[in-house]
Amino acid sequence: MKILLAEDDHNIATIAVMALETFGGHQVVHADDGQKAYELAKAQEFDLVLLDEMMPIMNGLKVCKTLLQEGFRTPIIFLSAKSQSTDISLFESLGSGFIPKPFDPSTLCQEIENILAEAA
Amino acid sequence: MSIKFKLFLVLIFCLGSTGGVGYLGYDSYVNLQGINKDLRQASKIKGLVQAIANSPFYSSFDKKLKRYVNKLKPNYRNRAFKKIVMAYGERNRRKLNNSISNFRKQEKKFTAYLEANLLVYESRLQSLALALITSFGLSLFFIYSMILNSTFRPLKALSNRMLDFLNDRYTYQFRVPKKNEVGELELNFHSLAQRVLNNMEELKALDSAKSDFLNIASHELRTPLTSIKGSLSLLRTGMDKLPKEKSAQLFSIAEKETDRLIRLINDLLDLAKIEAGKLPLEKDWVSIDDVIETTLYSLEGISKTASVSLAYTSGQHKLVEIDQDKVQQVITNLVSNAIKYSPQNGTVTVAVSIDSSNHLKIEIKDEGTGISPSDQKLIFEKFRQASGPSSPIVKGTGLGLAIARAVIEEHKGVIGVRSQVGKGSSFYFTLPDWKQDQVTLDFGKKAS
């Protein structure tokens, strides 16, 4: 899959990219803030968008809402350290699903597949 | 008008009308008694005249009559009676008969007059009795109405409002209360209720702030853990697949993020201790030169890496009463921020001066990008950072300035920033407890 990863922390991004490319054989494009993520999502075709919640300029929820308003059809999965039930229900209602941080990179790809399978 | 005053007026009215009625009534009663006495006298005199008319002359009787007549009031009836007694004394039967018939005329008039007066006073007494009953009735009515309207009803209404308040129904229309005792009670209740509501709002805000803090703290703690767990997991599972540079990168990430987590936890604990008041200051008189120079020396490493120079003009000869460790922590924090946000080959300057309140002021100036007014308010809050360099050498915890503020405020000083976007920033803090170091000053003078 061609995946757009929106994540402002570079270390986490490195790990996620390594997990997705090495273990999943996916192609990953990385954006380190909400604005760049939004622009890339509109400019290129992706099979999946992995969205961190807390990002500078535009946060994940805002990016998601804006894209959905504009008819974005690609599945969006939230990746976040936020743990409040109100946030989680937002993630699950707006996106296809939610993966909490810390995540296990060795199982990341499987978790993504599970979420996409359920959403389909 | 206060209820007390109104009741007082009713009392005065009641007493006054009772007094008035009482006085008039007594007056009428006395008059009535007088008239009855007159009527009895009239009857007696009538009897005497009858006796005189029917009997022969007795000298002893004559004497008695004369004595009696002299005691009588000089009214027209009594004068007529006196004439009878005189005629009797003169033994003049003809005169006697004349005076008797004259007397009888006068006596009729007189009695009629007395009886008319009797009626007047009797009816007056009746009116007064009515007036007394009416005024009593009115007084009781006023008192009842006051108790009901000024006291009972407002108190009941107030009681209902209190009940509403107790049952968490806080919205009620506040009517302007009357200016009396109950109104005062209403005002006081309203003030009390307002204070309770304000306290509740404050508590809610505090509670909300605490929740926010917990949320942010948990997020901040989970982020480095994600990198640590992630890199270790990748290293374990990808042992064969990963090329050497990637493995090295992952080890480096794990180590750096562990350090970051350590810094974060230390900062969080420091902040928690300060806010719980459990971080007592160990104050000592130290030389400000020493403090600043020691701090700058420890930061030489990172300043060289960032190609930023540090400047401080020593020779202050001033002593400050501070907790040296904590104040050094503050200076370290401010200077490392300045280095972080400085351009390459820039300079960070530390300066000491005395401000207008005679407090020692330490300023840290940088030539960085400056801070916008809205960010200036934010940055001293927990976990807040201004939008800064995207890959700083050492990622901050967002707590440094919050801790700095707590430490300086514990020292009874103030901390702040002056900055304009594009024109660098000047962070400052003040220390009130300072004195000139006479010894080194004198020594310095002697030496030169």
Side-chain angles (χ1 to χ4, degrees), chain A residues 16-67:
Chain A
V17 166
M18 260 195 232
L20 293 166
E21 288 183 344
T22 318
F23 289 90
H26 305 294
Q27 184 198 356
V28 183
V29 175
H30 171 227
D32 60 7
D33 67 59
Q35 183 65 33
K36 288 187 195 146
Y38 169 72
E39 286 164 7
L40 281 168
K42 302 220 71 182
Q44 299 181 32
E45 280 282 330
F46 290 100
D47 300 303
L48 169 68
V49 177
L50 279 175
L51 215 45
D52 178 30
E53 211 311 271
M54 298 190 65
M55 287 189 287
I57 305 173
M58 240 206 275
N59 69 31
L61 278 170
K62 193 154 178 217
V63 172
C64 181
K65 282 182 187 160
T66 321
L67 286 172

Side-chain angles (χ1 to χ4, degrees), chain A:
Chain A
M1 288 195 284
K2 187 171 176 197
I3 304 176
L4 171 63
L5 172 69
E7 169 61 65
D8 64 323
D9 186 299
H10 284 253
N11 292 324
I12 298 180
T14 308
I15 290 164
V17 166
M18 260 195 232
L20 293 166
E21 288 183 344
T22 318
F23 289 90
H26 305 294
Q27 184 198 356
V28 183
V29 175
H30 171 227
D32 60 7
D33 67 59
Q35 183 65 33
K36 288 187 195 146
Y38 169 72
E39 286 164 7
L40 281 168
K42 302 220 71 182
Q44 299 181 32
E45 280 282 330
F46 290 100
D47 300 303
L48 169 68
V49 177
L50 279 175
L51 215 45
D52 178 30
E53 211 311 271
M54 298 190 65
M55 287 189 287
I57 305 173
M58 240 206 275
N59 69 31
L61 278 170
K62 193 154 178 217
V63 172
C64 181
K65 282 182 187 160
T66 321
L67 286 172
L68 286 175
Q69 272 175 351
E70 298 173 2
F72 195 72
R73 304 291 288 274
T74 312
I76 297 175
I77 296 178
F78 283 95
L79 200 65
S80 180
K82 277 203 171 166
S83 55
Q84 275 201 307
S85 50
T86 43
D87 298 312
I88 293 176
S89 44
L90 256 176
F91 296 150
E92 292 186 337
S93 59
L94 284 173
S96 309
F98 157 67
I99 295 175
K101 281 190 205 165
F103 59 83
D104 187 344
S106 52
T107 61
L108 183 64
C109 297
Q110 188 60 49
E111 279 182 59
I112 291 175
E113 272 172 43
N114 292 344
I115 293 173
L116 290 177
E118 260 189 65

Side-chain angles (χ1 to χ4, degrees), chain B residues 211-353:
Chain B
S211 294
D212 284 344
F213 177 76
L214 284 171
N215 279 335
I216 299 176
S218 77
H219 176 272
E220 291 297 302
L221 289 168
R222 287 200 179 109
T223 304
L225 279 172
T226 307
S227 300
I228 296 166
K229 179 190 168 76
S231 40
L232 291 177
S233 172
L234 280 172
L235 284 165
R236 178 180 58 84
T237 54
M239 267 196 292
D240 339 309
K241 289 192 211 168
L242 291 169
K244 254 203 180 140
E245 327 87 65
K246 293 264 170 161
S247 305
Q249 190 182 19
L250 288 172
F251 277 119
S252 169
I253 289 174
E255 198 175 356
K256 289 217 181 85
E257 290 295 283
T258 305
D259 287 336
R260 178 174 157 201
L261 193 55
I262 292 170
R263 282 196 306 277
L264 183 61
I265 289 173
N266 285 336
D267 280 353
L268 272 173
L269 288 173
D270 274 350
L271 198 61
K273 275 188 233 166
I274 290 172
E275 293 202 341
K278 288 207 164 85
L279 203 60
L281 299 177
E282 285 171 38
K283 286 203 200 163
D284 247 329
W285 284 100
V286 290
S287 149
I288 191 68
D289 279 341
D290 283 346
V291 172
I292 295 176
E293 283 168 346
T294 317
T295 314
L296 293 180
Y297 183 70
S298 69
L299 288 166
E300 263 178 26
I302 69 162
S303 71
K304 282 211 174 81
T305 316
S307 307
V308 171
S309 39
L310 303 173
Y312 173 59
T313 328
S314 171
Q316 284 296 328
H317 301 297
K318 288 180 176 62
L319 300 174
V320 277
E321 198 183 11
I322 55 167
D323 182 318
Q324 187 169 1
D325 274 344
K326 300 214 175 45
V327 173
Q328 269 181 217
Q329 195 182 354
V330 171
I331 300 175
T332 305
N333 200 284
L334 294 174
V335 174
S336 53
N337 278 352
I339 294 172
K340 208 187 290 185
Y341 291 87
S342 279
Q344 285 220 336
N345 301 320
T347 311
V348 170
T349 317
V350 181
V352 174
S353 58

Side-chain angles (χ1 to χ4, degrees), chain B residues 19-227:
Chain B
V21 163
Y23 172 74
L24 290 170
Y26 179 70
D27 181 65
S28 302
Y29 177 72
V30 162
N31 282 321
L32 210 58
Q33 293 289 81
I35 292 171
N36 279 326
K37 189 174 167 195
D38 285 342
L39 283 171
R40 279 196 296 276
Q41 191 184 67
S43 174
K44 182 174 176 183
I45 290 175
K46 196 171 174 182
L48 279 173
V49 167
Q50 199 66 37
I52 291 169
N54 295 337
S55 67
F57 297 100
Y58 289 122
S59 58
S60 56
F61 193 43
D62 176 45
K63 281 199 190 109
K64 266 196 208 152
L65 282 173
K66 282 211 171 97
R67 271 205 300 272
Y68 181 70
V69 144
N70 287 333
K71 288 189 203 149
L72 291 175
K73 273 191 246 174
N75 58 43
Y76 58 87
R77 191 263 327 254
N78 290 345
R79 276 200 294 274
F81 181 58
K82 194 171 184 181
K83 287 211 177 97
I84 295 175
V85 170
M86 302 285 273
Y88 187 82
E90 288 168 12
R91 305 282 191 270
N92 187 335
R93 183 64 53 187
R94 191 186 51 85
K95 223 181 185 179
L96 189 64
N97 289 337
N98 278 345
S99 50
I100 285 176
S101 64
N102 179 45
F103 167 82
R104 286 215 163 110
K105 278 190 212 143
Q106 302 297 350
E107 190 258 344
K108 230 183 189 161
K109 252 200 306 190
F110 194 71
T111 314
Y113 163 75
L114 282 179
E115 281 175 350
N117 264 9
L118 189 75
L119 260 115
V120 162
Y121 284 110
E122 274 181 350
S123 73
R124 192 177 287 185
L125 271 179
Q126 271 175 352
S127 317
L128 287 172
L130 199 68
L132 191 69
I133 292 171
T134 312
S135 81
F136 256 66
L138 274 175
S139 305
L140 281 174
F141 174 73
F142 279 134
I143 293 173
Y144 173 74
S145 145
M146 257 195 289
I147 291 175
L148 200 66
N149 290 324
S150 303
T151 313
F152 176 75
R153 282 212 189 100
L155 281 179
K156 187 92 180 85
L158 186 62
S159 171
N160 284 338
R161 285 212 284 273
M162 285 188 188
L163 213 63
D164 280 347
F165 199 81
L166 279 171
N167 290 326
D168 300 329
R169 284 194 296 272
Y170 302 120
T171 51
Y172 62 88
Q173 292 292 51
F174 177 54
R175 287 183 303 245
V176 178
K178 302 232 180 95
K179 288 200 175 100
N180 59 26
E181 294 90 336
V182 175
E184 208 181 299
L185 184 64
E186 286 181 6
L187 265 173
N188 288 341
F189 168 68
H190 184 76
S191 306
L192 189 66
Q194 200 58 48
R195 185 190 291 189
V196 170
L197 283 175
N198 288 344
N199 283 350
M200 276 176 53
E201 285 302 315
E202 249 183 67
L203 282 171
K204 265 192 222 166
L206 257 170
D207 201 53
S208 170
K210 250 191 233 175
S211 294
D212 284 344
F213 177 76
L214 284 171
N215 279 335
I216 299 176
S218 77
H219 176 272
E220 291 297 302
L221 289 168
R222 287 200 179 109
T223 304
L225 279 172
T226 307
S227 300

